[in-house]
Amino acid sequence: MHDAPAADGAGWASAAAEQAVPAVSAAEHDPEAHGPNAVLAATPPAGSRAGRNLPAALAVGFGLGLSLIAILLFVPKVFIGVVGVAVGVATWEVAKRLREADVLVPRIPLIAGGQAVFWLGWPYGASGVAGAFAATALTCMVWRLFDHGLQTAPRNFLRDTAIAIFTLAWIPLLASFATLLLLEPDGNLRVLTFMILVVCSDVGGYVAGVLFGRHPMVPSISPKKSWEGFGGSLVFSVIGGLLTVTLLLDANSMIGVVLGVGLVLVATCGDLIESQIKRELGIKDMGTLLPGHGGIMDRLDSMLPSAFVSWLVLSTLL
């Protein structure tokens, strides 16, 4: 019951490292295998593995991470195209999984309209994003209302349209803030800062969770996350924020503290949101396009809300 696609920005290198962590127990199924907070330290049964192809995960993660950094430094506008493709595939991926669970979200307007939401941020800024979002939401409602013809009333109309609009907000709308951030003065450095902080959060959570993780954070949603890992994410992300905001953006270091704390909070929530969705759908990954990683949405879950918070903090305080 697995299918496709691949990813965005910052979590690549750190996510690859996380694939090395074994499951807490063979009986515990956690649909996520990555995230900004590391897994609980535990001794796995003999012979158990992370369930990932670690060499492939490392190769894909570091390769894509370095490629995105190079794009941001030398041809930053190309980054918009890369993220746009990722958004399109991630939206298709989630819609496919939902339809497998008999949630009939309207795929064509959702994917096409999602691209409009994302791309219209380039020429028209926030007003273009808002207008495209409203138009796409309305189109999804009408499409689902009549997708079985004029003689047949739709089944589960309210549920399906609500989930379609949720998906539209979850992926294209949040991703559009990466474009808005890039278009700001020194936007490529702002995006690079946000990517580095997400990596810091991932790595800090991984290290602290493996070394000290004992207390489950939200075991009913993600049994592998620990409060110790969350603390590690905070420490690494705040240090990363202090350094990147000071050295890359030449701004007040306290902005880095605010950004670091904010990104850890929303990245953790984003990771848990996707984990709960996959738990309800009964799947481990949204897709299989990236060896050792899963699908695009499995790499974007913490990045998407982090893009919004980065835009909000840096646009307000810089």
Side-chain angles (χ1 to χ4, degrees):
M1 197 174 155
H2 281 48
D3 55 352
D8 173 15
W12 290 111
S14 54
E18 289 163 10
Q19 312 305 332
V21 182
V24 171
S25 89
E28 275 182 325
H29 171 66
D30 180 11
E32 60 157 35
H34 68 283
N37 303 308
V39 299
L40 291 171
T43 303
S48 73
R49 297 183 180 274
R52 302 282 186 178
N53 184 335
L54 182 59
L58 290 171
V60 170
F62 283 110
L64 287 171
L66 292 173
S67 298
L68 287 170
I69 291 172
I71 288 171
L72 281 171
L73 292 178
F74 300 110
V75 281
K77 290 299 193 293
V78 173
F79 180 78
I80 299 175
V82 172
V83 179
V85 171
V87 165
V89 180
T91 306
W92 171 85
E93 180 176 77
V94 171
K96 183 176 186 295
R97 288 300 201 185
L98 289 170
R99 291 178 74 92
E100 287 172 357
D102 198 35
V103 179
L104 303 182
V105 295
R107 284 181 292 188
I108 293 175
L110 186 59
I111 295 171
Q115 288 295 290
V117 170
F118 177 78
W119 283 99
L120 288 180
W122 187 357
Y124 300 113
S127 60
V129 171
F133 179 84
T136 302
L138 179 59
T139 301
C140 286
M141 295 177 198
V142 175
W143 187 288
R144 184 68 185 88
L145 186 64
F146 297 118
D147 63 354
H148 284 80
L150 299 179
Q151 306 302 318
T152 304
R155 179 174 58 90
N156 296 319
F157 170 78
L158 181 59
R159 181 201 66 179
D160 294 351
T161 52
I163 293 176
I165 295 170
F166 166 82
T167 304
L168 186 68
W170 187 28
I171 307 174
L173 180 62
L174 288 179
S176 68
F177 288 97
T179 298
L180 298 180
L181 187 63
L182 185 67
L183 297 176
E184 303 252 339
D186 295 322
N188 61 330
L189 297 181
R190 296 188 184 203
V191 173
L192 186 57
T193 295
F194 128 68
M195 290 172 58
I196 290 172
L197 292 194
V198 175
V199 172
C200 288
S201 176
D202 285 348
V203 172
Y206 171 78
V207 172
V210 168
L211 294 179
F212 310 112
R214 291 293 182 272
H215 300 89
M217 192 176 179
V218 277
S220 61
I221 297 176
S222 178
K224 296 181 180 182
K225 291 197 186 308
S226 69
W227 283 110
E228 293 82 0
F230 179 75
S233 290
L234 275 174
V235 171
F236 274 57
S237 191
V238 167
I239 292 173
L242 285 168
L243 294 174
T244 52
V245 169
T246 302
L247 299 177
L248 288 182
L249 302 181
D250 193 25
N252 190 317
S253 60
M254 295 310 296
I255 297 175
V257 175
V258 173
L259 184 61
V261 172
L263 288 197
V264 170
L265 293 174
V266 297
T268 301
C269 290
D271 192 53
L272 291 172
I273 287 167
E274 197 210 15
S275 185
Q276 179 60 27
I277 291 171
K278 290 190 289 187
R279 186 175 293 279
E280 291 190 18
L281 295 177
I283 59 176
K284 182 176 177 60
D285 294 318
M286 284 294 183
T288 58
L289 184 65
L290 294 176
H293 288 273
I296 283 188
M297 202 57 220
D298 300 302
R299 296 270 43 92
L300 290 184
D301 52 2
S302 60
M303 302 291 300
L304 292 169
S306 297
F308 164 68
V309 170
S310 298
W311 171 83
L312 182 64
V313 171
L314 295 178
S315 298
T316 302
L317 300 181
L318 283 187

